[in-house]
Amino acid sequence: MTTALSLRNIEKSFGVFKALGPVDLDLNPNERLGIIGPNGAGKTTLINCITGVLKPDNGTVHFMGKDISHLLPHERARLGIARSFQIPRPFIGMSVLENLLVPLDYKHNVHNKEQRALELLQSVGLHNRAQDPSGSLSQLELRKLELARALASDPKVLIADEAMAGLSDTEIDEVLDILMRLNESGVAIIMIEHIMHAVMRFSQRVVCFDTGQLIAAGTANEIANNEIVQKVYFGEQTHH
Ligand SMILES: Nc1ncnc2c1ncn2[C@@H]1O[C@H](COP(=O)(O)OP(=O)(O)OP(=O)(O)O)[C@@H](O)[C@H]1O
């Protein structure tokens, strides 16, 4: 089976500081993968190496069997790798709908952009706010808009970076439902999340990073019961 993503021997240093690697990691098509690890573990660095924001010092990234190591971020996005950001920054002066017309403008094969924007809003449950100014959105609605924006490129892989931070339990459930529906529609999802119960509930497989290394991989249950993970991650959490 062709993997959706295949990372081999990825390494990244900042000056003399080794932030990541070497890391090998695969993502299967339509998989739900959780990435956990304490602050500074290298999760964001890894994601930046996947999206092309950072150029790793070593290693390769394959997407659907194609070597994309040399591609720029917008080229990777066009192929089908999308990322939603933890802190959404919508165009405040624009309506919710207009915010989605911006990324859709980059797509040449969408005939009716407004209709597509409304479909995207519907898929995240934000269609009733289409005409409202984006500055009037609640935290939860901003997260939904951020997901809709990431989906405008019709991704095959969505990297959700702390999409639920700061939300209440019922709001977390809503975001999880949206991500689950997306996954059912054929999008592989990488969830980077500090909210343990959410990432454990969502993910078919969880990998844990610490000091730039992948230290454990398994089902949510296996990872929750893994002694090394408990030491570096859950151990640390209980001191917060
Ligand atoms: N541009 C940079 N220059 C120097 N050091 C960096 C840079 N980006 C990240 N680092 C360092 O690399 C390490 C890994 O950081 P990274 O942001 O990838 O961790 P993380 O797992 O995403 O953490 P968090 O959960 O807090 O977001 C950290 O020690 C961080 O200080």
Side-chain angles (χ1 to χ4, degrees):
M1 180 176 63
T2 308
T3 53
L5 277 174
S6 200
L7 314 186
R8 289 293 173 273
N9 204 32
I10 294 288
E11 292 181 274
K12 182 68 189 173
S13 294
F14 299 105
V16 293
F17 175 71
K18 179 95 175 257
L20 186 67
V23 172
D24 289 350
L25 183 62
D26 287 334
L27 175 74
N28 290 318
N30 217 27
E31 189 177 11
R32 299 190 303 275
L33 175 72
I35 299 185
I36 63 168
N39 294 328
K43 305 180 295 294
T44 308
T45 305
L46 178 80
I47 292 319
N48 286 339
C49 289
I50 295 174
T51 58
V53 170
L54 282 177
K55 190 172 164 28
D57 306 323
N58 263 317
T60 54
V61 181
H62 281 75
F63 174 68
M64 310 301 282
K66 176 185 157 75
D67 188 347
I68 60 163
S69 311
H70 57 290
L71 295 187
L72 295 168
H74 71 274
E75 295 170 321
R76 298 186 195 199
R78 205 177 294 144
L79 282 180
I81 301 175
R83 175 189 178 170
S84 72
F85 287 90
Q86 180 186 358
I87 302 165
R89 290 193 186 87
F91 302 106
I92 291 294
M94 293 183 181
S95 72
V96 170
L97 184 78
E98 285 165 343
N99 260 276
L100 279 187
L101 294 176
V102 175
L104 286 172
D105 256 354
Y106 291 100
K107 282 196 79 74
H108 301 300
N109 56 350
V110 180
H111 298 304
N112 188 336
K113 295 195 163 121
E114 187 156 328
Q115 189 190 327
R116 180 66 188 135
L118 284 169
E119 283 168 11
L120 287 167
L121 289 176
Q122 178 115 37
S123 73
V124 298
L126 210 54
H127 47 293
N128 56 339
R129 298 282 263 145
Q131 305 304 336
D132 295 336
S134 58
S136 70
L137 296 182
S138 70
Q139 261 308 314
L140 174 63
E141 289 169 330
L142 279 173
R143 305 299 171 93
K144 290 180 177 179
L145 177 58
E146 175 62 5
L147 285 176
R149 187 201 55 73
L151 294 173
S153 59
D154 286 324
K156 296 187 182 69
V157 172
L158 172 67
I159 301 167
D161 188 1
E162 297 198 45
M164 291 165 280
L167 299 183
S168 71
D169 281 350
T170 45
E171 290 171 338
I172 288 171
D173 284 348
E174 255 195 75
V175 175
L176 282 178
D177 277 352
I178 292 168
L179 292 174
M180 210 52 123
R181 278 203 307 275
L182 278 175
N183 177 247
E184 278 162 15
S185 76
V187 182
I189 297 180
I190 298 178
M191 177 183 284
I192 301 154
E193 195 55 71
H194 284 292
I195 302 170
M196 263 321 122
H197 67 87
V199 70
M200 292 300 190
R201 195 145 46 100
F202 180 76
S203 307
Q204 293 161 321
R205 186 162 59 104
V206 177
V207 294
C208 180
F209 280 81
D210 187 37
T211 58
Q213 303 285 331
L214 198 162
I215 59 160
T219 62
N221 233 336
E222 287 163 357
I223 289 296
N225 293 309
N226 181 304
E227 270 184 33
I228 305 166
V229 174
Q230 284 175 357
K231 212 170 186 172
V232 303
Y233 197 87
F234 297 101
E236 192 218 35
Q237 283 243 311
T238 56
H239 296 117
H240 275 198

